Amino acid sequence: MQEILSNPMVQLVMVGIVSIACQYLAFMLKLPAILPLLLAGLALGPMTGLLDPDALFGDLLFPLVSLAVAIILFEGALTLKLSDLAGHGIMVRNLCTLGALVTWLIATPAAYYLIGMPMQLAALFGAIVTVTGPTVIVPMLRSMRPNTRISNILRWEGIVIDPIGALFAVLVYEYLVAQGAFEHTLLFFLKAVGIGLGLGSLLGFFLGILLRNNWVPHYLRNTTVLTLMLGAYAASDQITHESGLLTVTVMGIWMANMKDLDVDDILEFKETLSVLLISALFILLAARVEFFTFAQLGWGAILVLVAIMFIARPLSVFLSSRQSELDWRELVMLGWIAPRGIVAAAVSALFALKLDSLGVAKSDLLVPMVFLVIIVTVVFQSLTAKAIAKLLGVRARFPDGYLIFGGGRFARMLAKDLMEKDVPVIIADTNWDAIREARMENIPSYYGNPISEHASLTMDLSAVGKVLVLSPYKQLNPLVAYHFEHLLGKDTVLGLSHGEQEERASHQVSEDYAKKLELFSENATYGRLASLVARGATIRTTRLTETFTLEDYRETYGNRATWLYAQDPQGKIHIFTISHEFTLKPEWRIASLILPEEGAERAVSAPASGGGISTS
């Protein structure tokens, strides 16, 4: 058995299988994927000895890790638009600048005095742990459900500080490896920074021009960007040693901020790579860690964690809160949450490999200390965030809002009607014209695929409890339905009926998916609703009373009304469906799509009594 497991092919396949298993486990448990990946690496490496990355890859380990980290930093840089520093409020800007500096100034001496890291290495450690990252923040936000202000600050801090912190860590590393005579150190540092800034800007501009002018076929865009980025990394390192990471980071930031260049589709390659390449990377990195290095950290490591979590973070939040409108409860909550993630793990492991080859003293302490910070912050804050938010009274109200997939005229009418009743609504669509119309009507919207990773990191779903699928995209609708049912829970997704079911087996939907297509009524298809709106139908809300009963409502509007939802006296929305029954009483309000009288004979009929409605 040992002979089989030592086979290089078996080990490579094992890493791939474990990577996918960890990603799936994280998906099911709604945890940051980095946590099971690191634990799996520790289990395969130092705990069981089944995986030895150095023996498996030999001299290729260092360049493979270098290229993987270059991909991570480039992808992170692509998300940083300079307008985000101001566009998401003073607090986000301050946390990503002043807050990061405060964390570095506290973490650096803590590592130097408490665990005996050399000052240069401690400075590098301090720079690395300034980074939080959206991949670990977002799952935590879904669990704790803080109010909108806290949620937006934490989400955008993670997105913006990802590339800023990485760039800061690279600059500190450049200074560290340039150590020698002062003149030599300064010259090497300036040369590396100059090459990184200059070459990164030049190549970023060149690649942006290629893409903006469509000189690269669409099917080659992602591959071209990835290949040229890796080429830029290698070329920069050949010109000036250790300048490659700075080059690709600057390259990504430059492209993200070029006018008329859409980088959203470029980011798609990361979603595929992260499942296998980056997942495998963290297993390999964790497998190289020896348990005795954790022991070398001693009890001082606990004090370093305390300094980072309970001194640096609260102080950085407090100093960053000047001119903000946050109250003390919100500041305490922000000071409690700052988990470290992918960039910290990847950069620390790569730098440790490089510093070890350069013979830097105690460089073997860097990775275990960073991994310890990641594991403790993710686990501790995930377990306590919900309770702390509840104790402070900063949790958002029960998620009674709606995500509407599809931005057609009817969807926008329904969204505006719900918003007038103080119900949170977000419209998502892949059609820019529909999103543009929604934004002109001041409807919160997301342009793109709502199940993409970009959407999961940037779309605020803290107030969303249900999803209404109102789009004409029959291939994408089922994917959206199943994705959000897993995310929000059973019976949280409703879609429009297809009307007459297609008889051909190849065109039929699954029985499980068909149960979700119960929105409004059997005849309320996308085409019918669009047709009604085109013929002048509008959404009207009518209050039932003791003198104007449900039967009066039926008699007044007849088959001119397509019943959409009812609102009870407490303000709760009850969507009409084909099978779900609820009782309508006086003081309830009914919202319907009502056609003018001249078109009544062709309208979608209202649900029959008992078919979704129960009279009292």
Side-chain angles (χ1 to χ4, degrees), residues 101-113:
L101 181 62
V102 169
T103 300
W104 180 63
L105 290 175
I106 292 176
T108 297
Y112 175 70
Y113 288 109

Side-chain angles (χ1 to χ4, degrees), residues 401-478:
Y402 290 85
L403 169 64
I404 299 177
F405 177 51
R409 285 183 62 191
F410 169 72
R412 299 197 302 272
M413 288 171 58
L414 179 60
K416 289 185 67 176
D417 186 73
L418 289 169
M419 289 170 62
E420 289 172 1
K421 297 177 175 63
D422 197 30
V423 177
V425 175
I426 302 174
I427 280 183
D429 203 317
T430 56
N431 185 318
W432 170 245
D433 291 331
I435 292 299
R436 181 180 58 192
E437 292 293 332
R439 291 178 179 175
M440 290 177 64
E441 297 176 34
N442 294 318
I443 302 171
S445 59
Y446 174 79
Y447 172 52
N449 186 341
I451 64 175
S452 66
E453 184 170 353
H454 181 268
S456 71
L457 299 179
T458 59
M459 190 163 53
D460 183 9
L461 299 176
S462 59
V464 171
K466 286 186 180 292
V467 176
L468 305 181
V469 181
L470 303 179
S471 89
Y473 316 128
K474 290 188 177 181
Q475 287 75 30
L476 188 54
N477 288 347

Side-chain angles (χ1 to χ4, degrees), residues 73 94 179 315 413 478 491:
L73 295 188
N94 290 347
Q179 289 301 300
L315 184 59
M413 288 171 58
D491 299 327

